[in-house]
Amino acid sequence: NDAVVTRNKVRETLRLFQAICRKLLHEEEAKVKERGKTRRRVDLQASKILKEKGKYVNIGEHIIGSVPGVEVGDEFIYRVELNIVGLHRQIQGGIDYMKQDGKLLATSIVSSGAYDDDTDNSDVLIYTGSGGNMMSGDKEPEDQKLERGNLSLKNSMDAKNPVRVIRGDSKGADSVDARGRTYIYDGLYLVEKCWQEIGSHGKLVFKFKLVRIQGQPELAWNVVKKSKKFKVREGVCVDDISQGKEKIPICAVNTLNDEKPPPFKYTARMIYPHWCRRLPPKGCDCINGCSESRNCPCLDKNGGGIPYNYNGAIVEAKPLVYECGPSCKCPPSCYNRVSQHGIKFQLEIFKTESRGWGVRSLNSIPSGSFICEYAGELLEEKEAEERTGNDEYLFDIGNQLNDNSLWDGLTSLMPEAHSDAVVEVQNSGFTIDAAQCGGVGRFINHSCSPNLYAQNVLYDHDDKRIPHVMFFAVENIPPLQELTYHYNYMIDQVFDSNGNIKKKSCHCGSPECTGRMY
Ligand code: SAM
């Protein structure tokens, strides 16, 4: 297995891991509710499944320097993810190392985020060596020795070899989710200095000063932190494009020129035509919230379970998700109500070089999170075709990728966990037009390797032909990374009013780009 590990392969592997975690967590949550059992570590179970199936990447020789397919700024929720992609192979140890010509050399370290705060310089990291029983309460503390990890860092200083730094971020990233700390790959550092001092446990510890190698991209997390500190985001031209219609303001940022977003009417909700009578579904009676054990009819419609984890992440892509709705007796905090509550990340629209405006988040987004709805006016397709003016903001309902291609591999790895509710939501003859009236979803651009997918959701009515179109994250998304989904156009299948084939080139910039949107 010496094929070059691509970016796509790494993303695919991590997506698969995260999907398995959500699936296992879902099973755990159903059990915990029933028996109050303590939780198994789903991350360790998921990694075991991946390992057994040979899905780990970069598993050969230890690598000094960059790891193929992993980029500076990549975020991880579970520490074992670092291991799965070959970024840091120690399960617990903070220093990973290898032997080269009989000498130990450090390859990577995981820092708990203890920065040299005096200098407020995020390019400098003071790292404490390992050993000496610093952490364990039941063992006698002792001096740290110049062996293993500590020795490897000292040797790396002498040899001037780059060391990968992964920051375990406790005070940093604004993860809305409480799944623990986020790990961020901070890039390559050089060990500049090494000394001994008396540690908090009264014994000698090793200290290492690492300095980030110049020329690497700045962490988005730092950019966001700076703009918070100075309370301005560079290039802001509209403070809130939603004009108070969303719970969190959405600003418009343009650092390229002085253009503002073209006018449109903001709506956070779908707008339905007068002929469209939407009947509320019969709700459930779960006064204390819905759960698997309470025979909730809403959960039955989802194939017997809540389609979400308790942290709000969607477990897997489905043809249709039924959330509880206005006629249900469960409280707003019911785990079966997620996308109806609206945006929960601080989103902004920004001017791109070649794709008009796009959308990104100032927060870190964990895989599976709800992002926003594609809100606009509901039209019948015929009507949409008549609106010849602007077809750039049309979303054809039922035209989503239903082949699960973004979650590939899950069913083959966990066949027993596969839900069999594969009722296709075909092209239903309805379109959402967000040209004149729309929500932030209208600004999300297409990508050939996207980080979001569109999920059909019903909650306030029962008409399967016109579900809400809700975007969810298919992977962990660092702050400021553009949010995209696959428009799913078919090449040479888009026509103008004279029946001529329309062509549009794609500027998504991903290595998988096919060159054309349609
Ligand atoms: N960029 C749009 C804007 O400024 O309002 C928001 C997205 S809008 C739903 C769809 C339009 O965005 C497309 O018709 C195309 O003009 C542009 N677009 C989206 N993704 C693109 C891509 N990958 N490459 C080139 N243009 C893209």
Side-chain angles (χ1 to χ4, degrees):
N1 184 1
D2 44 15
V4 180
V5 176
T6 60
R7 173 70 179 156
N8 211 37
K9 183 80 198 153
V10 165
R11 288 174 68 189
E12 207 178 89
T13 304
L14 290 171
R15 281 204 296 256
L16 185 56
F17 169 79
Q18 291 147 9
I20 297 174
C21 281
R22 289 194 296 271
K23 199 88 196 173
L24 294 171
L25 187 58
H26 192 240
E27 290 169 11
E28 280 305 294
E29 286 168 343
K31 279 192 234 155
V32 168
K33 256 280 165 68
E34 284 163 20
R35 302 186 233 121
K37 250 176 56 171
T38 50
R39 283 204 189 149
R40 292 178 298 173
R41 288 276 301 273
V42 294
D43 54 333
L44 299 185
Q45 275 179 271
S47 63
K48 191 161 162 257
I49 295 174
L50 283 193
K51 189 157 222 172
E52 279 165 5
K53 305 282 179 177
K55 295 284 181 184
Y56 276 38
V57 296
N58 293 315
I59 50 174
E61 299 253 297
H62 267 70
I63 298 165
I64 288 189
S66 308
V67 167
V70 180
E71 290 177 0
V72 171
D74 279 354
E75 298 195 353
F76 310 86
I77 305 287
Y78 297 104
R79 187 165 157 170
V80 70
E81 291 176 82
L82 307 174
N83 194 4
I84 291 169
V85 299
L87 195 59
H88 184 85
R89 299 189 196 176
Q90 297 275 332
I91 295 291
Q92 284 183 333
I95 310 169
D96 200 2
Y97 51 92
M98 63 183 284
K99 210 169 207 171
Q100 199 176 64
D101 303 330
K103 232 180 179 178
L104 295 185
L105 290 179
T107 52
S108 56
I109 59 170
V110 177
S111 138
S112 57
Y115 271 72
D116 192 0
D117 278 331
D118 294 344
T119 59
D120 198 24
N121 182 351
S122 52
D123 284 351
V124 176
L125 168 63
I126 306 296
Y127 191 79
T128 305
S130 61
N133 301 327
M134 284 189 72
M135 302 302 181
S136 63
D138 44 349
K139 285 197 198 134
E140 266 312 290
E142 48 188 58
D143 291 343
Q144 285 186 351
K145 298 185 187 74
L146 193 58
E147 58 182 20
R148 293 192 287 263
N150 298 343
L151 178 58
S152 74
L153 276 172
K154 159 98 174 42
N155 289 341
S156 289
M157 176 179 79
D158 299 337
K160 297 188 168 47
N161 77 273
V163 178
R164 296 185 293 273
V165 168
I166 300 106
R167 298 173 30 170
D169 169 55
S170 42
K171 60 178 180 184
D174 256 322
S175 177
V176 172
D177 194 78
R179 252 172 282 187
R181 65 207 306 165
T182 311
Y183 293 93
I184 306 174
Y185 175 45
D186 193 2
L188 302 177
Y189 280 65
L190 289 174
V191 188
E192 206 168 71
K193 244 168 65 183
C194 154
W195 67 96
Q196 280 179 298
E197 63 183 48
I198 301 291
S200 54
H201 63 337
K203 299 285 177 181
L204 282 177
V205 295
F206 279 97
K207 290 278 182 180
F208 301 93
K209 180 184 178 193
L210 289 96
V211 179
R212 195 168 192 251
I213 296 175
Q214 295 293 304
Q216 303 180 87
E218 187 174 12
L219 284 191
W221 177 83
N222 278 328
V223 178
V224 174
K225 191 174 79 174
K226 274 186 211 153
S227 62
K228 275 194 186 141
K229 191 167 168 184
F230 301 113
K231 296 211 167 56
V232 276
R233 256 194 83 51
E234 197 202 332
V236 171
C237 53
V238 180
D239 286 332
D240 182 10
I241 59 162
S242 90
Q243 297 175 299
K245 294 192 179 93
E246 300 281 6
K247 283 182 289 189
I248 308 170
I250 300 170
C251 68
V253 172
N254 185 352
T255 51
L256 302 180
N257 51 42
D258 48 16
E259 198 186 304
K260 285 189 181 183
F264 70 103
K265 193 169 177 297
Y266 197 96
T267 175
R269 312 231 147 234
M270 282 297 297
I271 299 168
Y272 296 95
H274 57 87
W275 51 260
C276 180
R277 286 201 296 132
R278 290 158 301 118
L279 300 175
K282 192 179 166 304
C284 65
D285 295 318
C286 313
I287 297 166
N288 297 317
C290 305
S291 75
E292 265 86 0
S293 53
R294 286 201 191 110
N295 294 328
C296 167
C298 302
L299 301 195
D300 286 347
K301 283 194 272 184
N302 285 313
I306 300 176
Y308 301 109
N309 287 142
Y310 290 171
N311 56 27
I314 191 155
V315 178
E316 63 186 328
K318 290 185 164 210
L320 192 52
V321 157
Y322 294 86
E323 293 191 8
C324 289
S327 24
C328 294
K329 298 225 171 71
C330 58
S333 60
C334 167
Y335 295 124
N336 196 32
R337 300 175 185 266
V338 172
S339 64
Q340 60 188 270
H341 291 316
I343 63 171
K344 61 175 181 178
F345 296 106
Q346 199 181 344
L347 304 177
E348 66 179 19
I349 67 166
F350 70 106
K351 189 72 202 274
T352 69
E353 294 269 3
S354 54
R355 304 172 300 283
W357 296 83
V359 181
R360 61 191 180 190
S361 161
L362 296 185
N363 316 105
S364 301
I365 300 176
S367 184
S369 303
F370 169 67
I371 308 296
C372 68
E373 175 164 9
Y374 195 96
E377 292 175 80
L378 183 81
L379 300 180
E380 277 189 280
E381 234 157 59
K382 285 180 270 148
E383 217 182 326
E385 278 159 23
E386 283 157 19
R387 290 197 180 185
T388 47
N390 190 352
D391 61 0
E392 294 206 17
Y393 299 95
L394 298 179
F395 191 107
D396 291 337
I397 296 178
N399 193 27
Q400 290 95 306
L401 288 170
N402 279 324
D403 59 0
N404 264 345
S405 63
L406 290 173
W407 315 73
D408 245 359
L410 182 60
T411 40
S412 60
L413 286 191
M414 301 178 71
E416 72 285 359
H418 177 51
S419 66
D420 40 32
V422 197
V423 201
E424 288 288 316
V425 177
Q426 273 112 13
N427 213 338
S428 65
F430 291 91
T431 295
I432 303 168
D433 185 359
Q436 287 142 40
C437 300
V440 61
R442 81 196 277 281
F443 289 106
I444 305 179
N445 286 321
H446 159 89
S447 171
C448 298
S449 52
N451 48 21
L452 310 182
Y453 85 101
Q455 170 68 58
N456 295 318
V457 176
L458 283 179
Y459 65 91
D460 52 354
H461 67 80
D462 236 353
D463 192 339
K464 292 196 187 66
R465 298 170 307 160
I466 49 170
H468 293 268
V469 173
M470 304 293 197
F471 294 112
F472 287 85
V474 293
E475 58 193 12
N476 297 332
I477 309 173
L480 302 187
Q481 197 163 94
E482 181 169 3
L483 306 178
T484 55
Y485 65 99
H486 198 294
Y487 283 8
N488 206 24
Y489 286 116
M490 289 207 288
I491 302 294
D492 293 340
Q493 294 298 314
V494 178
F495 304 95
D496 67 13
S497 47
N498 299 322
N500 301 317
I501 292 176
K502 274 173 74 171
K503 294 184 182 180
K504 186 153 193 138
S505 29
C506 178
H507 298 286
C508 76
S510 86
E512 280 73 38
C513 182
T514 58
R516 273 174 69 186
M517 271 169 68
Y518 51 78

